[in-house]
Amino acid sequence: MALLLAGLVGIGLASPAVRLAGDTPTAQVSVATGFESALLPLSVTAAGALPLEPRPLTGWVELRAPLLQPDLHDHALTLGTRMPVRDRPWDVELGLGLREVSTANDIYRGTSVGSLLMARGGHFGERWTVAADAELWNGWATHVRTTPYARRVGGVQPVSGWTGWTSWSLRAGAVAGALVGPVELAVQLGYESRGRWNLVIPSLYGRVHAGIRF
Amino acid sequence: MPTSRLLPCLLAGCLNTPPLVPPTVDEDPSLPSVQVNGSLFHVVEEGQPDGVPLIFLAGGPGNDALYLSRLGEPCDGVDLGASMRLVFWDQRGTGLSRRHDDESLLTLDTFEADLDALVDHLDPEGLGVVLAGHSWGGMLAASYLNRHPERVLGAVLLEPGEYSSDIWDDWVAAGGTSTVEIDFGAEWLNDIAWSSQLLTMHDHDALDLSILIAARGVQPDRKNQEEAPTNRVGGAVIRSNFLGGFYPERFDFTTQLQDYPHEVLVVAGDTPTSDLGADFQRFQLDYLANPTLEVIDGAGHTDVVWADACTTVRLTHDYLQRQGVL
């Protein structure tokens, strides 16, 4: 319940790299871009910290969409929470998230809803963070509607309905960030496994983000 | 599944994903198939079972033979199937043929061996076959002609690709157009990447569906009057080719091409949007000993087998009459 609540109060995009203080409510709004399921997508994130005892809980909301070919049908909305295991500088943070991701292309329109499991381990200082970063995405349910074009030309079956697990990805990389006054600058990059026949080559992800705290 | 059943589906673990692409010969044994060279191929036969086999070779590599099907239809009183055995073959890993996880099987060498085995299967007595190949299929036909000229009663090359890597290098050096130029800001490229969040390409179904997203955009300069259909693209074959794993570094189908003394029919369109059109075919025509180039006005790369299939059927019929096959 606390995780869900934290997710709901969070507003924003790329989750903070440097830990939000837990004793007083703090918030951050940030924007990010890079290479992440698209070339130069734009992410906007709002995050907040709940002063839960004994450890602070960070929640955030992120909206991400391709920037080069803007299309309201292509977007991902993520609701995430993260909590440190020990609340010490050298620490591990574990997180949970829910994501809705949609697309529309020549072949199908689709919406997936699924879960995120996140883990970070490293140094979480008051002004800077360097950590290893892992994230597992599973799309547990997907609504697919194939297009008339795909059925006519592509041999695709007429499908319109919910299907089960259709997607997963596993990220492993690193994140580094620093607070310069109220401004957080961070970079995150790594490898993303997306299946045996992945067409996104090289299978890397990377993003830079800038946020402001208030 | 209706939306109202989503929650029970989630709770129960909804794994009954409806198929988005048609089944292959492994998944649907009722489909017509042929087992040769260690794989199972979808092969549709029409026309006269006792006639000379006319084997249609699709392009790509990665396309299936459905878009060549109009070449088997009667047109303006001409019907190739009236006296010939028409064979529409989905090459390895394409169409409804078997999928392979081993990418080392998706190479030029294997595809050549597949065609060798198919010809042996269709023509065990060695009486001869006719090959009709479009684009990459024309290259495969040229390869067969180069290696087994004695088995070929006739060859129809429909806007074939290059007969050797040297020819292509010379063509580009002479200012010829390139086949594929990737625009990293193109919508199709972003769509494929974005789509991978919803349909992970962990199996051939997802791959074959996802790669269709590229179909319209990957060669934007190729204009056709109509879009030709596919049963199911061979995503792994296209991926292997894209990653440079299909062709060897150099290949040459011309080493003995001049030894084939009979007429070879080459059909091409003449639109500037077809990079393998009439200009390119003239460029590589002399590698054939006895070629006839027929140009279809206004035809794009795929038009020569789809929108303008009727013209090609007539040209093929006349050619096969000259060869004494009909």
Side-chain angles (χ1 to χ4, degrees):
Chain A
M1 187 61 191
L3 290 175
L4 182 60
L5 183 62
L8 291 175
V9 297
I11 313 163
L13 277 185
S15 68
V18 179
R19 214 172 255 177
L20 292 172
D23 50 352
T24 56
T26 58
Q28 174 171 309
V29 174
S30 50
V31 294
T33 189
F35 178 72
E36 193 174 17
S37 304
L39 192 59
L40 299 177
L42 177 66
S43 295
V44 177
T45 302
L50 285 184
L52 296 182
E53 294 296 341
R55 297 182 295 265
L57 185 70
T58 299
W60 70 92
V61 174
E62 173 185 353
L63 180 64
R64 180 162 44 93
L67 194 59
L68 290 182
Q69 300 287 342
D71 179 347
L72 289 178
H73 296 294
D74 294 336
H75 69 266
L77 182 65
T78 303
L79 213 61
T81 61
R82 204 169 65 227
M83 178 181 271
V85 171
R86 300 189 307 165
D87 198 20
R88 292 179 184 171
W90 287 98
D91 206 347
V92 171
E93 293 187 345
L94 301 176
L96 288 173
L98 297 173
R99 176 173 289 167
E100 175 266 331
V101 55
S102 293
T103 194
N105 53 55
D106 284 344
I107 305 305
Y108 73 95
R109 278 189 170 204
T111 296
S112 272
V113 289
S115 63
L116 289 167
L117 295 176
M118 297 165 276
R120 282 183 180 175
H123 187 274
F124 300 88
E126 288 188 6
R127 308 298 296 178
W128 59 276
T129 285
V130 176
D133 188 36
E135 181 182 295
L136 175 65
W137 151 254
N138 275 289
W140 295 113
T142 300
H143 187 274
V144 174
R145 190 172 77 220
T146 53
T147 65
Y149 167 78
R151 298 194 290 268
R152 189 182 71 252
V153 174
V156 173
Q157 307 286 63
V159 170
S160 179
W162 287 96
T163 72
W165 179 74
T166 59
S167 60
W168 60 269
S169 70
L170 178 62
R171 289 182 170 187
V175 58
L179 268 179
V180 182
V183 176
E184 184 191 67
L185 301 172
V187 60
Q188 188 177 2
L189 50 86
Y191 174 78
E192 181 167 24
S193 175
R194 301 166 185 244
R196 165 78 173 79
W197 299 106
N198 180 27
L199 290 170
V200 182
I201 301 165
S203 190
L204 303 174
Y205 70 94
R207 58 155 63 177
V208 292
H209 90 242
I212 187 155
R213 296 198 169 180
F214 53 94
Chain B
M1 178 187 298
T3 307
S4 58
R5 289 176 55 198
L6 175 61
L7 185 58
C9 163
L10 283 170
L11 293 174
C14 34
L15 298 176
N16 297 319
T17 307
L20 295 168
V21 291
T24 65
V25 286
D26 281 311
E27 295 148 356
D28 182 357
S30 70
L31 292 169
S33 63
V34 168
Q35 182 142 19
V36 291
N37 200 32
S39 191
L40 192 63
F41 297 90
H42 179 235
V43 176
V44 175
E45 294 197 32
E46 297 174 1
Q48 300 303 313
D50 298 330
V52 172
L54 169 50
I55 305 172
F56 292 98
L57 306 171
N63 292 327
D64 62 75
L66 179 65
Y67 82 105
L68 302 176
S69 59
R70 282 186 177 175
L71 300 177
E73 296 174 2
C75 183
D76 291 345
V78 175
D79 183 2
L80 297 172
S83 59
M84 299 191 74
R85 179 183 181 187
L86 308 183
V87 181
F88 295 92
W89 172 47
D90 287 349
Q91 295 163 30
R92 182 178 291 253
T94 75
L96 307 185
S97 289
R98 173 176 291 170
R99 293 301 185 267
H100 293 270
D101 288 338
D102 182 356
E103 285 179 282
S104 71
L105 296 174
L106 307 178
T107 63
L108 173 63
D109 286 348
T110 310
F111 278 51
E112 287 177 330
D114 288 345
L115 179 56
D116 292 357
L118 182 70
V119 171
D120 289 343
H121 172 82
L122 295 170
D123 178 36
E125 296 174 2
L127 300 176
V129 300
V130 175
L131 301 176
H134 175 246
S135 198
W136 143 252
M139 297 167 65
L140 185 56
S143 161
Y144 192 87
L145 205 56
N146 187 54
R147 291 177 293 113
H148 305 290
E150 75 286 354
R151 301 291 299 269
V152 182
L153 299 175
V156 181
L157 308 181
L158 308 160
E159 289 214 353
E162 65 276 20
Y163 306 142
S164 75
S165 37
D166 282 348
I167 292 175
W168 187 254
D169 290 346
D170 292 345
W171 168 248
V172 172
T177 53
S178 180
T179 308
V180 178
E181 291 178 358
I182 300 287
D183 171 8
F184 287 97
E187 177 141 22
W188 68 268
L189 202 56
N190 278 265
D191 280 346
I192 280 188
W194 196 261
S195 162
S196 68
Q197 298 174 101
L198 292 89
L199 291 180
T200 299
M201 287 168 250
H202 52 235
D203 59 28
H204 289 282
D205 285 12
L207 171 63
D208 292 353
L209 180 83
S210 299
I211 214 159
L212 271 178
I213 296 170
R216 271 183 168 172
V218 71
Q219 291 171 316
D221 293 334
R222 284 186 176 175
K223 307 294 184 192
N224 291 290
Q225 299 160 39
E226 288 180 57
E227 279 194 81
T230 178
N231 260 331
R232 177 172 169 174
V233 296
V237 179
I238 294 171
R239 185 179 184 276
S240 175
N241 187 27
F242 178 72
L243 295 178
F246 183 83
Y247 295 101
E249 191 172 336
R250 310 300 297 174
F251 64 86
D252 189 353
F253 307 145
T254 68
T255 52
Q256 300 176 84
L257 209 49
Q258 290 281 344
D259 294 346
Y260 186 72
H262 309 296
E263 180 185 357
V264 173
L265 176 63
V266 179
V267 179
D270 69 344
T271 66
T273 65
S274 178
D275 50 346
L276 300 179
D279 288 345
F280 178 68
Q281 300 311 327
R282 290 188 190 98
F283 188 82
Q284 66 172 356
L285 203 59
D286 288 345
Y287 288 90
L288 299 165
N290 187 10
T292 297
L293 174 63
E294 296 281 1
V295 178
I296 303 176
D297 291 342
H301 183 58
T302 308
D303 288 335
V304 297
V305 295
W306 187 251
D308 286 306
C310 197
T311 304
T312 299
V313 168
R314 181 176 50 75
L315 293 169
T316 302
H317 181 269
D318 294 348
Y319 162 71
L320 293 176
Q321 277 192 329
R322 291 198 297 274
Q323 301 311 300
V325 176
L326 294 179

